[in-house]
Amino acid sequence: MATTQRRLVLKQRPSGMPDADCFAMETTDLGAPESGQALIQVEHLSIDAFIRTALDEGSFHATVPIGGTVTALGVGRVLASASDALAPGDAVFGPLGAQSHLLMPAAALRKLDATDVPPRAYLGALGLTTGLTAWAGMVRVGEVREGNTVVVSAAAGAVGSVACEVARLRGARVIGIAGGPEKVRYLQDDLGCVAGIDYKNDDVGARLSELAADGIDVFFDNVGGEILDLVLDRMATGARIVICGAISQYHDMSAVRGPALYLRLAERNASMRGFTVTHHAGAFAEAEAELGGWLRGGDLHLRETIVEGIERFPEALNMLFTGGHIGKLLLKP
Ligand code: NAP
């Protein structure tokens, strides 16, 4: 019996925020898996900022070709398998793409242990682009230590939420920056930040000066632009600035605004270091063990926002840039 696949393809490259004209929905009937393949039903897709840059020609992440299925990491369920590695009912993680079902080589999928956490946790708290990214950036790049004053930008988003919690659970005092009073409440009430700064309504510089009078030891930056300069001006001696991302800049990668106050690095004996999560693959087992322990022990409080319907994928992607979600943004096809 054929399985109907609904998938989102790229029709034209966006300029700025992608609109509905950039995409088209296609429907295909999938047959049975061939040798080595599995038929997967997609359960959740991770809505990630790299998907936006992958829509551009010459992207750092593999560019989506015109007519190609839009890139996305996801978790799904095996419906049928022609591989010894997977059986019907298994939960899997992989580069599933913006679609409802797919045939994929079993070797390209990771079989998940979803006995005490839902499979979608492997996109969120334990996910490559969320939990593992936050852990690698905060622990390995930021070298967060007990008693440090840590600032996180886009703190109420996916990576930011886990970055706040990793720092807090390792004994730091965490200040989160996010847009709007509801997000500030989430930072303080759910994530245990000592304070949240609402960059849309507060004077960020004045609030940082007040909350981190002795200087900031670690800045985990997801946003770039003006916020990076405001923090650079308030770093402690020996501070570490972690460049995780710069979401304020992704709509025009040919004109990224760099930090004007970079000489503060010299004045404060500070460092600014970027990373991509895959540079830290050697630490994934350690990261997953620590995050998994916290998650199962009830110490991680990453909220989820789940958008339903594969046709709403473009809308979900744009939410990353308009800030319409709290915590991990997922799509259920
Ligand atoms: P997310 O934080 O869940 O969503 C993005 C958030 O950014 C939004 O919720 C929005 O929150 C904020 N934002 C958007 N435009 C902004 C602007 N102009 N100024 C200030 N804030 C803005 O997304 P995510 O997937 O967790 O990604 C967060 C960052 O991590 C991104 O920069 C991404 O590229 C990076 N990342 C890096 C790696 C790596 O390997 N280095 C891996 C994964 C992700 P507000 O409502 O607060 O504005």
Side-chain angles (χ1 to χ4, degrees):
M1 194 181 68
T3 303
T4 304
Q5 174 196 60
R6 297 185 69 227
R7 65 191 180 111
L8 184 79
V9 298
L10 182 65
K11 220 166 70 180
Q12 63 187 47
R13 300 210 179 279
S15 143
M17 194 97 108
D19 59 25
D21 293 345
C22 297
F23 305 99
M25 287 299 306
E26 291 189 354
T27 302
T28 311
D29 280 342
L30 300 177
E34 292 176 5
S35 176
Q37 284 187 330
L39 174 65
I40 309 297
Q41 176 169 12
V42 180
E43 289 188 341
H44 290 97
L45 293 169
S46 177
I47 304 298
D48 288 308
F50 82 85
I51 300 170
R52 169 63 191 88
T53 51
L55 303 179
D56 292 339
E57 200 69 68
S59 156
F60 166 67
H61 302 285
T63 294
V64 179
I66 298 296
T69 306
V70 173
T71 304
L73 298 173
V75 292
R77 203 59 75 168
V78 176
L79 296 180
S81 174
S83 158
D84 291 341
L86 293 174
D90 283 346
V92 292
F93 162 82
L96 304 186
Q99 50 201 344
S100 62
H101 298 80
L102 71 155
L103 287 164
M104 196 169 199
L109 297 163
R110 174 182 171 189
K111 184 174 157 179
L112 299 174
D113 172 8
T115 45
D116 55 0
V117 292
R120 64 179 192 278
Y122 289 90
L123 301 177
L126 306 177
L128 179 72
T129 54
T130 297
L132 299 185
T133 299
W135 190 96
M138 192 56 81
V139 173
R140 302 250 309 192
V141 185
E143 297 178 13
V144 67
R145 294 190 278 275
E146 194 164 352
N148 278 173
T149 293
V150 172
V151 174
V152 177
S153 61
V159 173
S161 293
V162 184
C164 287
E165 297 219 89
V166 169
R168 174 180 59 78
L169 288 160
R170 282 186 165 239
R173 217 181 133 251
V174 186
I175 300 160
I177 304 176
E182 193 189 351
K183 292 192 178 188
V184 165
R185 276 196 297 278
Y186 166 66
L187 296 177
Q188 295 173 169
D189 298 348
D190 292 28
L191 303 184
C193 291
V194 293
I197 300 177
D198 173 359
Y199 77 90
K200 291 184 176 167
N201 296 296
D202 293 344
D203 178 337
V204 177
R207 290 281 286 140
L208 284 172
S209 296
E210 175 194 322
L211 292 163
D214 295 330
I216 296 157
D217 300 301
V218 179
F219 178 40
F220 189 108
D221 191 19
N222 290 312
V223 170
E226 190 187 349
I227 289 177
L228 176 54
D229 273 324
L230 290 170
V231 179
L232 266 168
D233 210 18
R234 292 164 177 83
M235 300 305 295
T237 301
R240 287 86 64 201
I241 297 182
V242 180
I243 303 298
C244 176
I247 199 152
S248 69
Q249 306 293 311
Y250 293 162
H251 285 315
D252 188 359
M253 294 291 279
S254 62
V256 170
R257 171 189 158 169
L261 296 182
Y262 78 96
L263 286 176
R264 294 286 180 273
L265 298 173
E267 294 163 11
R268 312 273 162 86
N269 195 27
S271 67
M272 182 187 289
R273 194 175 147 205
F275 78 106
T276 291
V277 62
T278 46
H279 293 130
H280 296 274
F284 286 173
E286 183 188 348
E288 205 175 299
E290 186 164 37
L291 291 164
W294 286 331
L295 184 64
R296 291 175 179 90
D299 296 319
L300 279 181
H301 310 96
L302 173 64
R303 247 193 241 177
E304 292 172 335
T305 302
I306 302 180
V307 175
E308 299 210 7
I310 191 67
E311 64 288 346
R312 294 182 66 201
F313 191 100
E315 180 194 328
L317 183 59
N318 284 341
M319 279 170 85
L320 286 179
F321 300 92
T322 55
H325 69 290
I326 290 187
K328 178 67 195 174
L329 183 56
L330 296 166
L331 182 127
K332 189 171 167 49

